[in-house]
Amino acid sequence: MENLSLVQSIVAAFSQGGIWMWAIFVAQVFSIAIIAERAIKLYITKDTNNGLLINSFESDIKAGRLEQVIDRTNTLPPDNPIGRVVRAGASAALEMGGRDEIQARMDEVLLKENSQLNKRTGLLSMLGNTGTLLGLLGTIVGLIHAFSAVGDMDPIEKAAQLTAGIAMAMNTTAYGLIMAIPALVAFGLLHNRANNLSEDLNQASLKAFNWLSFKYDSVPQRKVRRRQAAQ
C-alpha cells in the first residue's frame, strides 16, 4: 500500500507540475546516465596504480632495451593509459632520440588521455544548474497562475486556480532540487577522482620521460658527435 501511495503521489506531482516536471525529468535521466558511465569508468575501470606500474619499466629503459619496453606496453590492459604514453616515448627515442621529440610525442598522448578522464563530467554541473532553473521557472509560472486567480472569478474557480498554481510552484521547486543536488554532488566527486587519476598519470609519465630523455642525447647533440667522430 505504501508503494502504491508513493506512485500515486509521484503521478499527482507530475500532473500538477505540468511540462516543467517533464523537462526536469529529462535532465535527470541524462544526469543519471552520465553519473553511471563516469562512475564505472573512473572508479572501476581506472585505478591509481600508474606510479607503481611505471617502476617496472625503469630497468629496461635505463638499459636501453626499448624494444622490450614497447613489447611490454602492448601486453597492458587497454584501459591503462600509462602504457600508451610510455610506448609513444620509447618509439620516439628509437626513431629520433631527441629529448624534445620524446617530450612532444609523450605530451601528445598524455593530453589525449587526460581529456578522456574529464569527458562528460562537466555536463553534470550544467544539468544540475538547468534542473534548478527549470524548477525556479516552474515556480514562477505557478505563482503567476495563482495570482491571476485574484481577479473577478467565481469563488470556486478562483480556489481551484489558486490551488493549481501553488501546487505547480511547490512541485517544480522540490523536483528541481531533488534532481540538481545529486547531480552536483556527483560532479564534485567525479571531478576530484578525475584529478587524482590525472595527477597519478602525469607523475608516472614524468618518471618515464626523465629515464628516456637522460638516457639519450638530443638530435642536435647526436649530429655534433657524429661530425666529431667523422673528423
Side-chain angles (χ1 to χ4, degrees):
M1 294 296 293
E2 292 182 359
N3 292 335
L4 183 60
S5 177
L6 177 60
V7 172
Q8 291 174 343
S9 299
I10 294 174
V11 171
F14 270 77
S15 177
Q16 295 167 355
I19 190 174
W20 309 111
M21 296 288 284
W22 291 104
I24 298 171
F25 175 74
V26 171
Q28 186 178 40
V29 170
F30 277 103
S31 68
I32 291 174
I34 293 173
I35 291 171
E37 187 271 335
R38 288 287 85 193
I40 293 172
K41 190 73 173 180
L42 298 180
Y43 283 94
I44 298 178
T45 305
K46 302 289 184 181
D47 192 11
T48 54
N49 65 346
N50 291 312
L52 297 175
L53 181 60
I54 195 62
N55 291 331
S56 64
F57 290 94
E58 182 177 5
S59 59
D60 286 335
I61 293 176
K62 288 184 175 180
R65 297 188 292 267
L66 299 185
E67 292 86 354
Q68 295 183 21
V69 171
I70 295 174
D71 291 339
R72 285 188 57 199
T73 60
N74 292 325
T75 64
L76 294 176
D79 288 319
N80 195 308
I82 191 62
R84 291 185 285 274
V85 177
V86 172
R87 182 164 59 248
S91 299
L94 281 174
E95 296 170 5
M96 297 175 288
R99 182 175 182 177
D100 292 339
E101 289 78 7
I102 295 172
Q103 183 176 8
R105 190 77 66 83
M106 293 180 72
D107 285 347
E108 180 182 355
V109 178
L110 191 60
L111 181 63
K112 181 179 178 181
E113 296 296 336
N114 283 328
S115 66
Q116 292 296 317
L117 293 175
N118 290 294
K119 192 175 182 181
R120 287 184 290 276
T121 303
L123 291 176
L124 289 175
S125 177
M126 182 270 291
L127 289 171
N129 291 326
T130 300
T132 303
L133 293 175
L134 286 172
L136 178 60
L137 183 57
T139 302
I140 294 173
V141 173
L143 291 176
I144 291 174
H145 281 294
F147 284 119
S148 65
V150 178
D152 295 332
M153 296 179 62
D154 182 83
I156 297 177
E157 293 181 0
K158 183 184 297 186
Q161 186 166 338
L162 182 62
T163 302
I166 294 176
M168 176 185 287
M170 295 300 101
N171 285 322
T172 54
T173 300
Y175 191 36
L177 294 175
I178 289 172
M179 177 268 156
I181 291 173
L184 294 176
V185 170
F187 167 74
L189 294 175
L190 293 172
H191 184 67
N192 182 68
R193 175 67 173 177
N195 285 341
N196 290 337
L197 291 171
S198 179
E199 184 65 25
D200 179 64
L201 177 61
N202 291 338
Q203 291 178 0
S205 300
L206 181 59
K207 281 186 178 181
F209 169 71
N210 287 336
W211 297 334
L212 288 166
S213 61
F214 288 123
K215 177 65 180 177
Y216 297 95
D217 294 330
S218 65
V219 170
Q221 289 175 336
R222 286 192 171 192
K223 290 181 179 178
V224 170
R225 290 191 179 188
R226 286 174 184 173
R227 293 196 194 99
Q228 292 175 347
Q231 294 174 355

